[in-house]
């Protein structure tokens, strides 16, 4: 499958978040052409500020593979990971992160920092951005428009 098709799966997860009244962010982790984990934001449901889509998918992936590190994986997420998620993805040694839209207020990969690619880091991650950006942006904008009234 292509990046566009994998991102469609992440967008489907984001729609599940929206339907649960969570910020619509979804993530999918792929290894060897197969989805090994998928999640959406559940911070409100779980009353847990760390229950971001990427963190939940990462937890699922390492449990499924019974591994601390998941090299060779690609993470597809609808929004640029925050510092917490980017740090966890780096520690997990993911190979690549693909996202749809930047997060100018919390993004830890290019917007406010470069956790995944900083030369001082022990592990650097390949990044691709802008995949299905229009769709992810529309989902976020509509969610917040509905929240505001």
């Amino acid at each position: 499958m292509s990046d566009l098709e994998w991102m469609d799966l992440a967008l489907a997860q984001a729609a599940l978040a929206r339907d649960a009244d969570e910020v619509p962010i979804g993530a999918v982790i792929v290894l060897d052409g197969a989805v090994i984990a998928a999640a959406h934001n559940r911070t409100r449901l779980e009353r847990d500020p760390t229950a971001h889509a990427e963190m939940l998918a990462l937890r699922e992936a390492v449990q499924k593979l019974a591994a601390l590190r998941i090299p060779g994986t690609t993470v597809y997420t609808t929004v640029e990971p925050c510092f917490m998620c980017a740090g966890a993805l780096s520690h997990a040694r993911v190979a690549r992160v693909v996202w749809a839209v930047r997060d100018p207020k919390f993004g830890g990969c290019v917007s406010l920092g470069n956790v995944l690619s900083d030369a001082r880091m022990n592990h650097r991650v390949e990044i691709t951005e802008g995949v299905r950006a229009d769709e992810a942006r529309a989902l976020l904008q509509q969610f917040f428009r509905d929240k505001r009234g």
Side-chain angles (χ1 to χ4, degrees):
M1 286 179 40
S2 70
D3 284 350
L4 296 172
E5 294 167 307
W6 293 121
M7 188 61 75
D8 285 341
L9 298 178
L11 285 164
Q13 287 292 317
L16 292 173
R18 175 204 58 212
D19 295 346
D21 197 32
E22 296 276 0
V23 175
I25 299 174
V28 173
I29 301 179
V30 175
L31 177 64
D32 298 329
V35 173
I36 59 168
H40 57 80
N41 272 10
R42 294 197 310 254
T43 58
R44 292 180 178 151
L45 176 68
E46 296 186 14
R47 292 185 182 95
D48 179 357
T50 70
H52 291 195
E54 302 92 336
M55 296 294 287
L56 296 170
L58 184 59
R59 290 175 191 150
E60 181 183 333
V62 298
Q63 290 299 310
K64 186 176 285 183
L65 297 175
L68 175 62
R69 311 245 192 261
I70 52 172
T73 57
T74 299
V75 176
Y76 293 87
T77 181
T78 57
V79 176
E80 173 189 359
C82 69
F83 283 91
M84 172 185 67
C85 293
L89 294 169
S90 178
H91 280 294
R93 303 297 192 259
V94 301
R96 184 172 176 237
V97 176
V98 180
W99 69 79
V101 295
R102 287 188 181 190
D103 185 345
K105 294 183 179 181
F106 291 101
C109 303
V110 296
S111 294
L112 298 177
N114 58 347
V115 172
L116 297 179
S117 58
D118 190 301
R120 298 169 294 178
M121 295 292 287
N122 197 24
H123 173 72
R124 283 176 287 291
V125 178
E126 179 186 341
I127 59 173
T128 302
E129 65 175 299
V131 177
R132 297 275 193 240
D134 292 340
E135 294 90 332
R137 186 176 299 106
L139 194 60
L140 287 161
Q141 288 174 339
Q142 188 61 52
F143 177 80
F144 288 112
R145 197 174 296 124
D146 291 347
K147 283 288 181 199
R148 292 182 181 110

